[in-house]
Each structure stands twice: as C-alpha cells, then as structure tokens.
Amino acid sequence: MWLGGCRCVALAALLLLLTIGAQAEELKPKLQAAPQEEGESGSDGKTGAGSEQRSETQRKSAEGLIELGEEELPGDEASQQEQHPWEKMDLDTIKLVQITGFSKEKDTKKIPGVLYDLLEVQKRMIQNIVSEIEEIEQQQEESRASELAPQTVELTEAHQIYERAMGILNKTKVDRLLGHKLMVEAASKGHLAARSHVAWAQLLGNPVPLDIESAKQTFLALAEEGLPDAQMGLGFMYAAGIGFNVSQAKALLYYQLAAAGENSWAQMALGYRYWAGVGVPNSCETALDYYRKVATKVAGQVTFSGGAAVHRIRLLDEVDNSGPSSGILDNDLIDYYQLLADKGDVQAQVGLGQLHYQGGRGIPLDHQRALQYFSQAANAGNAVAMAFLGKIYLEGSDNIKADNETALKFFKKAADLGNPVGQSGLGIMYLHGKGVPKDTMKALKYFAKAADQGWVDGQLQLGNMYYGGIGVQRDFKLAIKYFSLASQSGHVLAFYNLGQMHAIGLGMIRSCPTAVELFKNVAERGKWADRLMSGYQDYRSYRFEESFMQYALLSEMGYEVAQSNAGFLLDREEVNLFKNRGEELVRALQYWGRAAAQGYSAAQVKLGDYHYYGMGTLIDYEMAASHYRMASEQQNNAQAMFNLGYMHEQGLGMKKDIHLAKRCYDLAADSSVDAKVPVTLALIKLQLLFKLESLKETPFKIIFNLDENIASNWDLYLITVITILCGAALYFRRPVPPPPATATPASPVPPTAATAARENATSNETENAPNRSEREPPAPANPANDE
C-alpha cells in the first residue's frame, strides 16, 4: 500500500513539473525581452553586458538545457541571495507552496530566479521519491524470493502430483478413488487447485463422505486467494442455503467473480440465471455470451467418437412407473448379454461394444473392452464392428495407440459392404489426409453416401463442407439442412454449429433465444454431466443427501432433470440437511418451479399440488388451477386434466360446472391408458350427481333441504351406507354349513332263533334290573373318541 502511495506522489510531482514547464514556455518571450530593456536603459555598458549574460543563463535554465545547481548565475552576491529564497528549504519535506502569480509580478528581475528554484526543488524531490521506490521494490522482491525459495521444491512436487491426479480423472475409464487420493496428497503440500478439488468432493459427498463445514472453511480461505473454483463453491452454497443462510445477492457476486476467472460452472449458472430471470432481469444477450463461452469449450473437446452419452433419469417418472428406469441396464441383463457374446452371438458383441465405446445406460466408458467385442464381431464379418474398429484406431485411446493405416483398412472393409459408418470414416480420412492423400472430392462423395443412409457423422461433415465451402460452393441453406438433420440424432457439434448460425443470423434470421437453447444444450454435454449418473447411483444406494447435493449443484447450472430430482428428494422427506419440514417444502417448490419453467409437465402438476394443499406456500386454488391448465394445454398431461375436472366438479378456484368436469375427465382418459379406471369411477360419481340434481325438480326435493352438515357431507354418508349394504350382502351370502351327519337305518333283517332268544333275555334283564345310574357311576369318556 505504501508503495502505491509513493507512486501516486511521484506522478503528482511529475504532473506539477510538466505544468511549470508549460508556464516557463509562456514566459520565454518575457525572459528574452526584459534584459534587452535593462541593457538599453543601463548607465554603462558593463551593467548591460552582465544583465544580458545573466538573462541568457536563466533562459537556458528555464528551458532545461543545463543542469540546475551545477552552475552559478552571474551577478553580485546580494542579487543572488535575493533571487534564491528557497535554498534553505529541506528537500526531504513536501510542502504546499502557492504558485507565484507571474502575470501580476512587477519586478521582472525576480521571475527567472523563482522559476529556477522551483524547478530544482521539484527535480530533487522526484529523484528522492524514485530512488525510494526502487529501494522498496528491491526489498520486496528479496523478501518474496526468500519466502518462496524453501517452498519451490514442495510446490513443484505438489503440482506434479496434481497433474497425475487429473490425468487419472480425465481417462475414459476413471478411477475416482485413486484420483482423489492423489488430490489429497497434493492438497497437503499446499496446491490450491488440489485443495479446491478436495473441498468439492467433501461438499458433494463423492467419492468421500459429506463434510460441509470443512468444505466451507476451505472455500473461504481459497476465495481470499482469488481462486475461481472456490468462489464458485461459495456461490453455490449461498444459492442453495447449504452451510450459509440463503443469499441470492452473495451467490450472484461469487458467480460473477468465478465466471471472470473462466470457471465453466459459474458461467453456466450465470447463463441460466439471465436466461430464466432467476435473481436478475431477463437478458437473452447476456445469457448468450455466457453459454457461448462454455459451449465453445465443450465443442473443442468433442472427439470423433462423439463423447460419452448423457443419460437423464427422472426419479419422479421411476416412481410413477413403479420400477427402475427402463433406460438403465441391470447387472443380470448385462451378464446375460455377456454370456451370449462369449458364445459367439455377433449382435450381442456389437451391442456390448457400442455400450462400452460410448457409455450410457449405466455402463461406464471402457474402450479396451469395446475393442475386444468389436474385434470378435469383425472376425465374424460384421460391417458395423469393422467401422467402429476404424473409429477406435483413428483417434486412439488410453491404452490404444492411434494407427491411421489400421483405421483405413477397417473403414475400407466396412465401406465396401455399404456400411455408412465406414463410408463416413473414409470421408474423414480423405478430408484431413490421414493415411491417404488429401482429396475433398472423395471426402464429399463418401459423406454424401453416409448421409443418404441417415448416418449422423455424414450429415454433420456435409454441413461443415457446405458451411465452409470446402470442395463445394458455399451454401448456408444446405449447411443448415444437414446440421438440422444431424441435430435430430443429438450430435453435439451440430447443435453448436446451428447455435453459431442463429447467434449471428448467418443464412437465417437472427434468433437469440434459439441460439441460447442450442448453446445450453451443448454446454450440458460437458464432462460435468457425469454427475447426473453419480447422483442417480447415490440415490439407488440410499445415499440421499449425497444424491441431493449433486442434483442441487447441477440445478444451479440449469439442468432441468436435476431440478426435478432435487425437488423430488425434498418432497419425499429423504434429505436431512435443513432445519424443518417447512424449509424443505419451500426449497422443493423452488426446484419444481424451475423445472416447470423448462417444460417438464410433471413439475407443473407438482406446482399445482403445492398450491392446492398449501405446501411451502399458502393455499391458492386459482393458482393451482392455472398450473393444472398449463400442464394440460401445453404438455397434454393426463393427471393435470383429471385434477382440473375435479376442481370443476367441486367449484374450487373456478365456477362449478359438471359438464366441463366431464369433458376434462374424458380428455384425461383419452390421453393416458392409466387414467381410464379413475376416470370411470369419477364419471359414475358425476352421473349420480346429475341424477341428484334432476331430483331437485321433483317432489323428493325435500331430501336436499336437510341439515347443512348432512348436505355438505352427503358423499361421506353415501359411502357409509354403501359400505353397510355391501357388508350385509356379504354376510347373508356366506356359505350355509352342512347339516350334521346322522346314522342311516339299516334294512330290516329277519331275526334268527338265537337272536330272538338273546333279545328276549336282554329285555327281561332290563325290566327286572334296577336303574344303572343308581347302581354305579357312568364309565369315563374315551379322549381318543372325543377328538
């Protein structure tokens, strides 16, 4: 700070010197004229000659032609003392002296002396200041060198460890645990970027447990050092209310600082905010500037393979479909495909090779395994496998060396079999002269063949040739045509090229909103999109807080699927990061709102539900109905149509209208098969209501003049009555128990003589004997028989 002050003083002194020099130029005619007048009016020649000599010396001093202080001015001693009143001034002390009014000076003899002394004082002052500044700078450089000298070796080692870690994390097959371990080692040695990387891992809980407080302290320390990654971290924490109270103003400030440091995450966050008007006024042009910067970086990193696939999974859709997403392959299915591939199934080999080559559907990138499966299929004569082998050898990979000759061989084999991937590959090699002489005409021919078969690379390259006039006459309309075809297949570079053309109005009318949407699509294909799958895997592993943190970060960067997933986790009370349920619902409402603004119909329905039930906001039926109407009209959402029908039926937020309710129910049934059962029940209820309304015109209308409590809750009473009737019906329809078994009388048998005699004897004994119960107790029952 003192050094800066000295520099300001030096500049001020220099400005003052220049001002005095300008005044001296104005006084030159007077300085030249005054001695002549004195010489003419002198009484003798000596006086005139002395004055002329003195005036000449003073003139040279005023013009800076001689060194001040090294020559003595001629003249007597009294005159010199009178003309040098500042010689006793302390030159080390800065004083403010009022400048003499030269225009009002009557004695022309004093003017040259005053100017002479002023110039000399200012010159010495500037020399002293400059020498002090040089001395201070030298001392600071020496102290800085002495401080950095012991750390140079350690910082160099830390940087080397950091580069190794980044190399591991940027591989196609990432080892996150090893990369993080090396980052921790580099951070312990003071590497700033490594410290920031470790703090991000602690904040997001991947691949280490959550430690928000430690991440917060690290970001605060690194932000003071001006590190953009740390500024982005603080912006995210303030925006999401994690570790700090929510402050969108501070979040915006830190985002601006990080974006100025070329942090891509911050640039995406600002681009989304200006595009959607989150905390700032809508500004399409500002959003375009930020998104274009990020899209240019992402497009520059796209390889011939097209990069890893981005799989977007909405957790709400998974729950509604009652099962895991159909886009993710489970381990059993992968094992089944691998078994088929090992048995020689060519289609399974090609499918697994493509999955490992491009990733997605829960399969990580692994070019080595892709090479293995493609080689097996190519040996069986599959043209697709040959073409993909050519792509692998054309650009190489982590453990695969690029080889133009091998790539050309496989491309040619595939192209001869009519495969569009091989034709497009041959076009690339002729266009850039890789392994063959450069030939744009052959490249155009192969690209056209591939494009005619609908292959995305052929369409993209044809668009590039017409856009740049490479081998053909430049034609922007044809370029737009082929770029549009390639964008329908999701090619990143097609989106980027179309965005550039829309941004500047090349070949079309300029459209800033369209350009922003295209650049946003490209920016969301960056390497950071891998966190979408990481968040989903954490969710499937019941690590809900870690999943929410990653979705919340991507939400700030404008990912719609991340916004809906963050709202879903808060809605289901699966995140324990906030103070109470009310705070969770307020944040969930915010995430649902942002997702709905980007066109997600289920989020629009959720907004209606929150306003209908008063979750995170006040109950507002009109607002709920407006959200349902938007979802039904714009996205044709069956749930929204059904809810609108119910609100029309009950007269909530709108006029009660049974006919409109029936229309909404019918539209819901036509829009979704799943809605047919609830719609049928609702229509039955409407029929009952219609019949009841018609009874009001009959003598039975006295029924509707009952107590208000009964009339308002008639449906509850009706359900109770129906339940009782159903119970009674079930009771009376229960199966009747069978009658007890009785002994069947035997058919009469004619008695024999012995039998008759025995019966007579028995009857006589019974008549003559006393009662048996009086003589002896009855025999005990047999337990076995009772059972």
Side-chain angles (χ1 to χ4, degrees):
M1 295 296 294
W2 192 90
L3 180 60
C6 293
R7 288 175 175 168
C8 292
V9 173
L11 291 174
L14 183 60
L15 182 60
L16 180 60
L17 182 60
L18 293 175
T19 304
I20 296 173
Q23 292 175 348
E25 290 292 333
E26 295 178 0
L27 291 174
K28 282 170 63 176
K30 296 181 180 180
L31 295 175
Q32 294 175 357
Q36 293 178 1
E37 294 175 358
E38 290 178 1
E40 292 175 356
S41 62
S43 58
D44 56 355
K46 184 178 179 181
T47 305
S51 299
E52 185 175 356
Q53 183 179 1
R54 185 171 61 253
S55 65
E56 178 67 17
T57 305
Q58 292 171 349
R59 182 183 65 79
K60 292 181 179 180
S61 299
E63 295 178 2
L65 299 178
I66 61 175
E67 290 293 333
L68 299 178
E70 295 181 0
E71 288 189 12
E72 290 188 0
L73 295 178
D76 57 318
E77 185 175 340
S79 176
Q80 291 178 9
Q81 291 177 357
E82 184 180 358
Q83 292 175 1
H84 296 273
W86 292 356
E87 284 187 353
K88 298 180 181 181
M89 179 182 291
D90 186 3
L91 297 179
D92 294 333
T93 304
I94 301 176
K95 296 182 180 180
L96 297 177
V97 181
Q98 185 176 1
I99 300 177
T100 306
F102 294 118
S103 60
K104 298 180 181 179
E105 184 65 43
K106 295 181 180 180
D107 190 359
T108 56
K109 295 181 180 179
K110 296 182 179 181
I111 295 176
V114 172
L115 183 59
Y116 169 84
D117 292 324
L118 184 59
L119 291 172
E120 184 175 0
V121 170
Q122 296 297 332
K123 177 181 178 181
R124 292 181 182 178
M125 184 186 302
I126 292 173
Q127 289 177 347
N128 291 338
I129 292 174
V130 171
S131 62
E132 290 178 2
I133 291 174
E134 292 177 351
E135 183 178 355
I136 292 172
E137 288 181 344
Q138 184 177 1
Q139 291 176 356
Q140 289 182 346
E141 289 178 359
E142 292 176 356
S143 62
R144 192 182 300 112
S146 62
E147 292 176 358
L148 295 178
Q151 302 177 2
T152 302
V153 177
E154 187 174 7
L155 287 178
T156 302
E157 184 181 356
H159 184 71
Q160 293 174 351
I161 298 174
Y162 173 78
E163 292 295 331
R164 284 176 54 202
M166 290 301 297
I168 292 173
L169 295 176
N170 289 330
K171 285 184 176 181
T172 54
K173 189 176 181 180
V174 181
D175 189 345
R176 296 190 182 278
L177 291 177
L178 178 59
H180 180 74
K181 180 180 178 181
L182 293 174
M183 282 292 179
V184 172
E185 185 179 354
S188 64
K189 296 181 180 296
H191 196 280
L192 299 182
R195 291 178 60 192
S196 174
H197 194 281
V198 172
W200 273 110
Q202 293 172 338
L203 180 63
L204 302 179
N206 189 295
V208 294
L210 275 175
D211 192 346
I212 296 176
E213 186 60 29
S214 177
K216 171 183 172 182
Q217 298 303 325
T218 303
F219 284 147
L220 287 172
L222 295 178
E224 294 181 358
E225 300 287 338
L227 191 69
D229 290 350
Q231 293 164 345
M232 171 62 198
L234 289 177
F236 164 62
M237 295 180 76
Y238 274 112
I242 297 171
F244 299 97
N245 292 328
V246 176
S247 175
Q248 299 299 334
K250 290 184 178 180
L252 185 62
L253 173 63
Y254 280 113
Y255 284 156
Q256 294 280 6
L257 293 173
E262 298 300 321
N263 183 277
S264 297
W265 293 4
Q267 290 171 344
M268 287 185 67
L270 286 175
Y272 169 71
R273 284 180 172 246
Y274 279 103
W275 179 63
V278 178
V280 293
N282 285 90
S283 177
C284 182
E285 297 297 333
T286 306
L288 178 63
D289 290 339
Y290 283 117
Y291 272 125
R292 194 207 304 258
K293 292 178 181 178
V294 184
T296 302
K297 297 176 186 176
V298 174
Q301 297 172 356
V302 174
T303 61
F304 186 54
S305 64
V310 179
H311 207 72
R312 303 168 190 262
I313 305 171
R314 293 183 175 88
L315 302 180
L316 180 60
D317 293 345
E318 270 202 358
V319 174
D320 291 342
N321 295 333
S322 302
S325 173
S326 59
I328 299 298
L329 299 177
D330 57 17
N331 294 330
D332 293 338
L333 188 58
I334 295 173
D335 293 340
Y336 174 70
Y337 284 141
Q338 289 177 346
L339 178 63
L340 292 178
D342 293 339
K343 289 184 175 181
D345 190 308
V346 176
Q347 295 301 324
Q349 293 168 349
V350 173
L352 286 174
Q354 289 178 330
L355 283 174
H356 286 294
Y357 181 63
Q358 294 179 328
R361 305 188 69 178
I363 305 296
L365 284 175
D366 191 344
H367 286 179
Q368 192 67 39
R369 296 195 68 180
L371 178 66
Q372 174 186 349
Y373 287 120
F374 284 141
S375 299
Q376 293 175 0
N379 291 335
N382 186 275
V384 176
M386 296 176 186
F388 275 94
L389 281 176
K391 295 180 72 172
I392 291 177
Y393 282 109
L394 179 62
E395 61 183 358
S397 186
D398 297 336
N399 300 319
I400 303 171
K401 186 178 179 180
D403 189 341
N404 290 334
E405 293 183 0
T406 306
L408 180 64
K409 179 184 68 174
F410 283 114
F411 280 144
K412 187 167 180 54
K413 287 182 178 180
D416 292 341
L417 294 174
N419 182 266
V421 184
Q423 293 167 346
S424 176
L426 273 182
I428 289 286
M429 304 201 76
Y430 278 110
L431 180 64
H432 298 286
K434 293 187 174 183
V436 291
K438 189 173 182 180
D439 191 336
T440 56
M441 295 304 297
K442 286 186 177 181
L444 181 67
K445 180 184 71 172
Y446 283 117
F447 289 146
K449 288 182 178 181
D452 290 341
Q453 297 188 61
W455 179 239
V456 59
D457 284 340
Q459 296 165 345
L460 174 70
Q461 296 300 334
L462 269 184
N464 287 334
M465 296 187 76
Y466 281 110
Y467 178 84
I470 303 172
V472 293
Q473 185 177 359
R474 178 172 290 178
D475 190 333
F476 292 132
K477 294 194 177 297
L478 281 177
I480 294 171
K481 171 189 173 183
Y482 286 113
F483 286 151
S484 300
L485 290 173
S487 66
Q488 293 175 8
S489 300
H491 202 292
V492 181
L493 294 181
F495 286 121
Y496 177 75
N497 293 339
L498 282 175
Q500 291 285 18
M501 298 183 78
H502 279 285
I504 61 179
L506 192 61
M508 62 186 73
I509 299 175
R510 185 179 186 272
S511 176
C512 178
T514 306
V516 169
E517 291 180 2
L518 290 168
F519 283 139
K520 182 176 183 291
N521 199 324
V522 176
E524 291 180 354
R525 306 292 185 93
K527 190 171 179 60
W528 42 83
D530 293 343
R531 295 194 176 275
L532 284 173
M533 185 55 64
S534 298
Y536 177 75
Q537 290 172 347
D538 286 337
Y539 172 76
R540 300 292 295 176
S541 302
Y542 302 98
R543 302 174 70 239
F544 299 125
E545 283 82 8
E546 290 81 357
S547 176
F548 171 78
M549 291 298 297
Q550 298 190 72
Y551 284 137
L553 171 63
L554 296 174
S555 299
E556 285 296 310
M557 296 164 64
Y559 286 82
E560 174 269 313
V561 63
Q563 293 166 350
S564 63
N565 288 349
F568 172 83
L569 290 170
L570 292 173
D571 183 74
R572 291 172 63 89
E573 301 184 56
E574 293 177 335
V575 179
N576 299 317
L577 296 174
F578 303 104
K579 298 177 182 178
N580 51 52
R581 179 59 178 162
E583 189 174 348
E584 291 178 356
L585 290 176
V586 170
R587 283 175 166 77
L589 180 65
Q590 175 185 347
Y591 286 122
W592 288 126
R594 293 182 181 181
Q598 297 199 59
Y600 184 37
S601 62
Q604 197 81 56
V605 174
K606 278 290 184 181
L607 282 180
D609 293 343
Y610 274 52
H611 284 93
Y612 183 89
Y613 294 106
M615 300 166 59
T617 183
L618 299 176
I619 294 178
D620 190 340
Y621 293 132
E622 292 184 0
M623 184 64 70
S626 68
H627 286 299
Y628 291 145
R629 187 176 292 108
M630 290 176 62
S632 63
E633 294 177 355
Q634 297 178 4
Q635 287 97 20
N636 204 29
N637 187 283
Q639 180 66 53
M641 295 175 185
F642 185 90
N643 294 351
L644 270 180
Y646 180 79
M647 296 186 77
H648 276 297
E649 175 189 333
Q650 300 294 326
L652 299 173
M654 58 188 68
K655 186 178 179 180
K656 186 174 182 179
D657 193 327
I658 295 178
H659 299 286
L660 282 177
K662 183 179 183 303
R663 181 184 177 188
C664 291
Y665 287 145
D666 291 336
L667 289 174
D670 294 338
S671 300
S672 174
V673 178
D674 297 335
K676 289 187 179 296
V677 173
V679 165
T680 302
L681 297 176
L683 289 176
I684 293 174
K685 180 182 176 182
L686 279 181
Q687 290 293 335
L688 292 174
L689 288 175
F690 186 77
K691 295 298 182 183
L692 291 175
E693 290 290 333
S694 63
L695 287 175
K696 290 182 179 180
E697 306 298 329
T698 64
F700 296 99
K701 62 182 180 181
I702 191 174
I703 300 175
F704 301 97
N705 296 327
L706 299 175
D707 182 71
E708 289 185 1
N709 185 30
I710 298 177
S712 61
N713 297 304
W714 65 269
D715 52 350
L716 297 179
Y717 293 107
L718 179 62
I719 292 172
T720 304
V721 172
I722 292 174
T723 304
I724 293 173
L725 292 176
C726 292
L730 292 174
Y731 177 79
F732 288 112
R733 286 180 59 84
R734 64 181 181 172
V736 179
T742 57
T744 305
S747 56
V749 179
T752 60
T755 304
R758 190 166 49 252
E759 289 179 354
N760 290 333
T762 304
S763 62
N764 293 332
E765 184 180 357
T766 305
E767 291 176 357
N768 297 327
N771 192 349
R772 188 181 184 88
S773 60
E774 295 179 359
R775 290 186 299 146
E776 59 183 357
N782 189 349
N785 294 336
D786 290 344
E787 285 187 23

